[in-house]
Amino acid sequence: MQNKLLIFIGPLFFLLGCAVNTVQSNNETDTKVKQLLSEMTLEEKIGQMTQIDFSVIAAELGSENPVDQRKLDDAVLKYHIGSILNAPQTPHNQAQSVAVWRNVLQSIQAVAAQSRLKIPVIYGIDAIHGATYIKNAVLFPQALNMAATFNTELSFKEGEITARELRVAGLQWNFSPVMDLGRQPLWPRLWETYGEDVHLATVMGMSYIKGHQGDDFSAPTKALTCLKHYVGYSFPINGKDRTPAWIGERMLREYFLPPFEAAIKAGSPTIMVNSAEVDGIPGHANYQYLTTILRDELGFTGFTVSDWEDIKRLYTRDKLAASEKEAVKIAVMAGIDMSMVPFDYSFYHLLLELVNTGELPLARIDEAVTRILGVKYRAGLFNAPSALLSEAEHFATGQATEINRQAARESIVLAKNEQQSLPLKKNANVLVAGPNAKLLSVMNGGWTLTWQGDNESLYPKDKLTLFKAIQKKATGKVTYLENNVVDKQAALDATKNVDVIVLCLGEKPYTETVGNIGSLNLEAAQVKLADAMLATGKPVILIMTGGRPRIITEQAELASAVILGFLPGMEGGAAIADILYGDYNPNGKLPISYPRESNDIVLYDHKPIESYESNVYHPLYAFGHGLSYTSFQTSALKLASDTINWGDTVELSVDVKNTGLISGKETVLVYLNDVAASVTRPSRQLKAFKKVELAAGQTQTLHFSLKPEDLSFIGVDLKRVIEPGEFKIRVGNETVSFTLNKP
Ligand code: GLC
């Protein structure tokens, strides 16, 4: 290690001269909050910290009105609850029409208006790829796919459209975006993340927030976001949801905190907490994370909300608390402001008891309620209700649907295309096979119309499955292999008059622990079907859909082409058909490393030791991989200077040329390597990217600037540092070096 002068810089965000509070505080709001707080009883305060599931106020199933008025009156007038979440039951937490939502929300606020202090209820909903619980909403590609677009403008538009469609229904608080990093491919919520890279997740999440909230999230077309799941939830060591993560503080600060740090600066006013545990401390009991770091270091001023029943679970599951009452005390004192209880008023009663017996200070209650009321005021909830956005004008518009289709197109990764097997000729005779060919749910995943997204009967009839999309576009004969043909002769018979086989494999929808698996290997039946199809000798186009990579190495080696669709949303079938037949030139790039074998989980930003001697980064498809029907070449990578003075930006440029015969989009990725440092540095880290559209033969020069903090890392003393010395920058197959001078 070079003997380097260590320069300690304060926590990054102060360097950025921003220290922007989560929610811009302003004196007028603070005064109103203080005044209201002074008028509140202890019961009313604790009510504000209580969030219940819709089922607590639900009428009998099949009732005309999904709300039971007496239960609603109890919730708001007797228990003073501050928030409700989830969709009405028909029969359980599933998508409702705009009209039903409007009635439900208006009835809730009407009762709030009868309460002594008329404090509005804030209603939370998971709208993680569009307004998932509103019928016929525009449902986008899931976050992993949005990351594969490397297109921050599309992420901004997704946020914008999602917020607008929520507001049409009267909803205003979205439990999204997920700022967790997808660094464990087994994890059943990988697809809810923007992938394995810090920079990509950060910029995609910030763009989404800016589109969703604008500069003022009380505006009629904007809505509040909620960062989740703070922090370290996405990295369970065994890959199963809600199991321990072992993340040291240096890794936490290097990888898992920065996306939240940036999203807080982008203005998200609420944060949902990690349901699992890190280093033996449950997210809901972690004072260091929830108060010392989140408040004192990151300056977050909004409110935190627990995840599902996770305060109770400190007692019932984690065995951290000796009783439910102790669990409430631990969680509230650690920094949880609002409890997603969600099925009863236990939190309300226990917290009231804790304060009345002096076991929990009133000051902590006042602090939490101040944060909650502050967000409600800034959300405009106390203002006279404005007319709701018109459904005809702002909901599921043609323009929004077209943006969704474009997002789906740009999210698809063409991983292999041997001898230009793709695009297909429209008059080709196609046999479509595989369990994922005739379903919409396999392209949408969890949080789609229902929690698990697996109720195919609820999916809109006008959206295209892969099979229907191919049928619609092709002029040749398109048939479907009705059963899992594995017999060699049967396969040969079935494919006799066929030019090409489109094989649709992958996963069914899932989320959370329901999606836990023991291996990334493909289901045996799918392997058998694939082998039978590949054995026919016909060209096979393998299309994978699902929330995480499954091991397809052998099949991919034999297939003529491989398309990685993951979860491209409601326009996914149409978008994949656009690509199959060349009506769109693919440009998606992998936001994760696609494993070659189930236990070969090495990520692109691996340490030098992981690519030393027989250790190799050898995924089936690397982070950033993605083909086009044209070809691109970068060249003339150069630095403005190969000596950088301390505190200066690193200016670089590179040419990118479309060396093929058709126009296309290309993302140029800029990687940095700090050659030697006091802490081992990744072989490379993405620090910038730009996506450009080029005509055949066109060249464009791209300019990039790396700021000093782009060179920083978490040092031995767990503080962010920059160390002078040699750095390398890699773009495409070119590398340049520069030296950062001492201050
Ligand atoms: C779930 C999820 C969380 C979601 C919440 C409310 O348990 O972990 O992502 O926002 O409950 O549905």
Side-chain angles (χ1 to χ4, degrees):
M1 177 183 84
Q2 295 173 16
N3 183 11
K4 292 183 170 179
L5 176 68
L6 296 188
I7 313 293
F8 288 100
I9 51 175
L12 256 193
F13 36 92
F14 289 118
L15 247 197
L16 300 177
C18 53
V20 172
N21 284 337
T22 310
V23 179
Q24 295 287 348
S25 63
N26 68 51
N27 294 338
E28 191 197 341
T29 301
D30 293 348
T31 307
K32 285 179 185 170
V33 167
K34 277 197 184 77
Q35 176 54 41
L36 180 53
L37 190 74
S38 69
E39 297 166 25
M40 293 171 77
T41 65
L42 176 59
E43 288 76 3
E44 287 163 335
K45 291 176 182 176
I46 288 175
Q48 283 303 304
M49 299 169 68
T50 306
Q51 180 187 64
I52 56 171
D53 179 70
F54 180 92
S55 57
V56 176
I57 62 166
E60 286 300 305
L61 290 184
S63 310
E64 177 68 17
N65 178 351
V67 174
D68 177 305
Q69 193 59 46
R70 188 184 51 74
K71 292 178 183 174
L72 174 58
D73 291 349
D74 265 3
V76 178
L77 303 176
K78 183 176 175 188
Y79 295 106
H80 321 288
I81 54 111
S83 179
I84 299 173
L85 83 143
N86 269 340
Q89 332 288 316
T90 46
H92 168 77
N93 186 27
Q94 71 182 47
Q96 303 296 330
S97 66
V98 165
V100 166
W101 271 114
R102 286 178 166 180
N103 290 336
V104 163
L105 293 162
Q106 277 156 5
S107 59
I108 292 168
Q109 300 309 1
V111 177
Q114 295 162 27
S115 66
R116 190 175 75 88
L117 293 170
K118 305 182 184 346
I119 301 174
V121 171
I122 187 165
Y123 202 107
I125 198 75
D126 294 279
I128 70 165
H129 69 121
T132 52
Y133 284 119
I134 307 176
K135 281 180 181 169
N136 304 316
V138 173
L139 296 191
F140 284 85
Q142 294 281 7
L144 193 66
N145 283 68
M146 292 307 288
T149 70
F150 280 80
N151 188 330
T152 53
E153 280 169 46
L154 283 172
S155 190
F156 180 94
K157 287 177 180 169
E158 178 195 7
E160 208 172 35
I161 292 165
T162 302
R164 202 166 54 224
E165 298 200 352
L166 286 171
R167 293 303 295 272
V168 166
L171 289 160
Q172 205 171 339
W173 183 30
N174 181 4
F175 298 142
S176 193
V178 165
M179 295 310 285
D180 301 320
L181 282 188
R183 297 176 70 84
Q184 169 42 283
L186 274 162
W187 187 49
R189 304 188 77 175
L190 176 78
W191 49 274
E192 295 183 53
T193 76
Y194 290 114
E196 69 193 46
D197 178 66
V198 176
H199 178 73
L200 179 59
T202 297
V203 296
M204 294 304 284
M206 288 176 80
S207 296
Y208 176 89
I209 292 164
K210 292 198 173 112
H212 202 285
Q213 296 190 164
D215 297 330
D216 172 6
F217 49 66
S218 71
T221 60
K222 300 300 177 187
L224 287 73
T225 58
C226 179
L227 307 179
K228 63 187 193 180
H229 308 75
Y230 179 83
V231 63
Y233 170 49
S234 60
F235 201 53
I237 198 158
N238 68 18
K240 288 189 167 62
D241 185 43
R242 288 175 164 86
T243 61
W246 296 96
I247 303 174
E249 189 170 341
R250 183 169 299 108
M251 175 180 252
L252 182 87
R253 289 178 176 280
E254 181 92 46
Y255 294 93
F256 294 94
L257 273 180
F260 283 95
E261 207 171 320
I264 287 167
K265 279 189 300 198
S268 188
T270 66
I271 285 183
M272 188 181 293
V273 177
N274 169 2
S275 281
E277 60 175 70
V278 177
D279 287 357
I281 302 181
H284 289 73
N286 198 321
Y287 183 86
Q288 188 209 2
Y289 289 3
L290 290 168
T291 298
T292 309
I293 293 178
L294 184 60
R295 302 292 177 176
D296 304 345
E297 269 191 46
L298 302 187
F300 179 59
T301 58
F303 70 82
T304 60
V305 59
S306 83
D307 201 345
W308 190 265
E309 205 175 75
D310 282 319
I311 294 179
K312 262 186 214 275
R313 288 177 183 175
L314 294 177
Y315 165 61
T316 58
R317 179 194 63 184
D318 306 326
K319 310 303 178 196
L320 184 98
S323 67
E324 231 187 285
K325 184 168 133 185
E326 189 190 0
V328 168
K329 181 177 179 182
I330 290 169
V332 171
M333 292 311 291
I336 302 285
D337 299 316
M338 181 183 280
S339 169
M340 185 188 295
V341 188
F343 289 127
D344 56 37
Y345 298 108
S346 55
F347 173 83
Y348 173 90
H349 292 300
L350 291 170
L351 187 52
L352 196 54
E353 189 183 329
L354 283 164
V355 177
N356 283 334
T357 56
E359 292 174 75
L360 192 140
L362 176 61
R364 175 63 191 107
I365 304 298
D366 287 349
E367 182 183 60
V369 178
T370 295
R371 291 165 177 167
I372 293 167
L373 294 179
V375 171
K376 288 188 174 182
Y377 267 110
R378 292 183 187 105
L381 283 171
F382 284 91
N383 302 342
S386 54
L388 287 174
L389 291 177
S390 119
E391 184 176 355
E393 215 180 312
H394 295 285
F395 192 82
T397 63
Q399 187 195 22
T401 303
E402 187 42 44
I403 290 169
N404 187 18
R405 181 149 175 182
Q406 185 57 22
R409 288 178 185 130
E410 295 198 30
S411 80
I412 303 298
V413 176
L414 176 61
K416 179 183 180 182
N417 189 17
E418 213 161 55
Q419 286 124 27
Q420 307 308 312
S421 311
L422 291 178
L424 300 177
K425 292 185 176 46
K426 294 219 165 80
N427 64 358
N429 293 327
V430 179
L431 175 73
V432 178
N436 283 25
K438 290 190 163 183
L439 296 168
L440 288 171
S441 56
V442 300
M443 292 188 286
N444 284 276
W447 309 105
T448 308
L449 312 172
T450 61
W451 175 45
Q452 290 294 314
D454 57 353
N455 188 336
E456 191 74 23
S457 68
L458 296 176
Y459 279 75
K461 307 302 177 232
D462 62 330
K463 299 302 177 186
L464 299 175
T465 62
L466 282 167
F467 178 64
K468 281 187 181 167
I470 292 169
Q471 266 189 323
K472 185 172 178 186
K473 202 170 274 274
T475 55
K477 191 161 176 272
V478 177
T479 49
Y480 178 68
L481 188 63
E482 281 308 334
N483 47 33
N484 258 354
V485 171
V486 291
D487 168 68
K488 197 171 168 58
Q489 189 51 49
L492 285 170
D493 296 346
T495 56
K496 212 168 13 233
N497 306 317
V498 154
D499 299 317
V500 63
I501 300 166
V502 175
L503 182 58
C504 308
L505 303 179
E507 297 184 310
K508 295 289 182 294
Y510 53 78
T511 187
E512 303 195 52
T513 51
V514 174
N516 281 341
I517 53 175
S519 160
L520 285 173
N521 291 335
L522 207 50
E523 266 172 36
Q526 294 192 28
V527 171
K528 287 200 182 92
L529 173 63
D531 292 349
M533 291 298 105
L534 289 161
T536 63
K538 298 283 184 177
V540 172
I541 312 297
L542 174 58
I543 300 179
M544 295 297 291
T545 48
R548 67 197 138 195
R550 300 309 288 262
I551 304 306
I552 55 170
T553 305
E554 287 175 27
Q555 293 71 31
E557 303 282 305
L558 297 171
S560 301
V562 176
I563 289 179
L564 305 175
F566 291 108
L567 296 170
M570 279 303 179
E571 302 303 327
I576 290 175
D578 288 340
I579 288 168
L580 276 176
Y581 286 96
D583 290 341
Y584 188 74
N585 185 1
N587 50 66
K589 292 192 178 297
L590 278 175
I592 55 166
S593 303
Y594 197 102
R596 182 175 297 273
E597 294 169 279
S598 189
N599 290 348
D600 184 3
I601 312 302
V602 179
L603 303 180
Y604 95 90
D605 56 356
H606 57 275
K607 295 297 184 83
I609 195 172
E610 295 177 274
S611 49
Y612 182 75
E613 289 180 346
S614 59
N615 290 339
V616 286
Y617 172 63
H618 186 49
L620 180 59
Y621 303 115
F623 174 88
H625 173 73
L627 302 176
S628 167
Y629 291 148
T630 183
S631 52
F632 296 94
Q633 181 64 48
T634 55
S635 62
L637 172 62
K638 54 176 167 295
L639 292 160
S641 164
D642 61 4
T643 307
I644 307 296
N645 292 325
W646 185 260
D648 286 357
T649 55
V650 182
E651 304 296 337
L652 62 115
S653 65
V654 65
D655 292 347
V656 54
K657 180 174 184 179
N658 179 341
T659 53
L661 303 174
I662 60 170
S663 68
K665 290 189 177 185
E666 172 68 339
T667 302
V668 173
L669 305 170
V670 178
Y671 293 102
L672 177 84
N673 166 241
D674 184 345
V675 172
S678 54
V679 168
T680 59
R681 307 303 310 129
S683 304
R684 58 187 172 129
Q685 275 186 305
L686 183 69
K687 291 295 179 181
F689 62 83
K690 281 184 181 171
K691 187 168 193 177
V692 292
E693 183 154 20
L694 297 173
Q698 184 186 354
T699 298
Q700 190 172 334
T701 300
L702 303 179
H703 297 272
F704 297 91
S705 295
L706 299 187
K707 303 182 290 295
E709 54 270 26
D710 290 325
L711 311 185
S712 71
F713 61 94
I714 304 300
V716 172
D717 296 341
L718 297 176
K719 296 227 177 338
R720 190 167 283 279
V721 296
I722 302 175
E723 293 179 351
E726 188 191 356
F727 291 80
K728 292 186 185 300
I729 285 181
R730 194 174 115 188
V731 179
N733 51 23
E734 293 179 292
T735 301
V736 289
S737 301
F738 66 88
T739 301
L740 175 64
N741 289 334
K742 293 174 185 164

